[in-house]
Amino acid sequence: SPNPTGLAVLAVGSVLWLFQMGLGLTVVVVGAILLGGLGVWRLADLFPSNRERIVALVTYVAMPLLPGVISTGRLSALVAYAALPWFVHLVRSAVGIGTADPKAVVADLADGVIPLRPRERIRRIAVAGVVVAIAVALAPPVLLLVAAVTVVLAISSLLVGAGWRTSA
């Protein structure tokens, strides 16, 4: 059954697009793909050169999941596709992990460290919460996916030697 919130968004969008539903749906699909790609581009700023960022972007946008999602018309999957890279990027920046420094690899510190004040850390976490809230408002199953990604990020952070505070 269709999501009532998603249908309401599409109804408001149809008014904005002068009742051209086909144009509105095209804007939603293309917009989700662009938002997801932009989110991956921002997430990939961990890499010091643009070559790695381009590979991450092309890999994310060209993955075979996307045509299947578009062909079935699943709004929740498109919302997850657009929101998850932003969520991971915002959580990563809230923890204080920045662009990798190639010179620090010798010292076994591959990630850059961003010194954050507590107020800035709270602001970044709040922005991540807003992204999740918007995504969940459009597609409630995204909440389960965000929870799973959060657990995986915390466990993987512990496995690579990050502290408990960073993982939490």
Side-chain angles (χ1 to χ4, degrees), residues 1-70:
S1 71
N3 179 0
T5 307
L7 292 177
V9 168
L10 290 177
V12 170
S14 73
V15 172
L16 294 175
W17 296 109
L18 302 174
F19 303 103
Q20 299 291 325
M21 258 331 247
L23 178 61
L25 290 172
T26 302
V27 167
V28 168
V29 170
V30 172
I33 294 169
L34 291 176
L35 276 175
L38 185 60
V40 166
W41 183 260
R42 292 297 308 264
L43 176 62
D45 74 353
L46 286 169
F47 301 115
S49 76
N50 281 337
R51 188 176 320 142
E52 292 91 355
R53 294 175 82 179
I54 291 170
V55 169
L57 175 66
V58 169
T59 302
Y60 193 72
V61 173
M63 80 170 85
L65 171 73
L66 193 55
V69 166
I70 293 170

Side-chain angles (χ1 to χ4, degrees), residues 49-120:
S49 76
N50 281 337
R51 188 176 320 142
E52 292 91 355
R53 294 175 82 179
I54 291 170
V55 169
L57 175 66
V58 169
T59 302
Y60 193 72
V61 173
M63 80 170 85
L65 171 73
L66 193 55
V69 166
I70 293 170
S71 68
T72 59
R74 301 204 40 147
L75 180 64
S76 59
L78 277 173
V79 169
Y81 178 87
L84 278 179
W86 286 103
F87 173 72
V88 174
H89 165 68
L90 291 167
V91 167
R92 174 197 52 88
S93 68
V95 170
I97 299 173
T99 304
D101 184 8
K103 298 172 190 163
V105 173
V106 176
D108 200 26
L109 181 64
D111 295 326
V113 177
I114 305 170
L116 293 175
R117 295 186 178 135
R119 184 178 182 106
E120 179 64 20

Side-chain angles (χ1 to χ4, degrees), residues 158 161-168:
L158 285 173
W164 284 98
R165 182 176 172 204
T166 301
S167 295

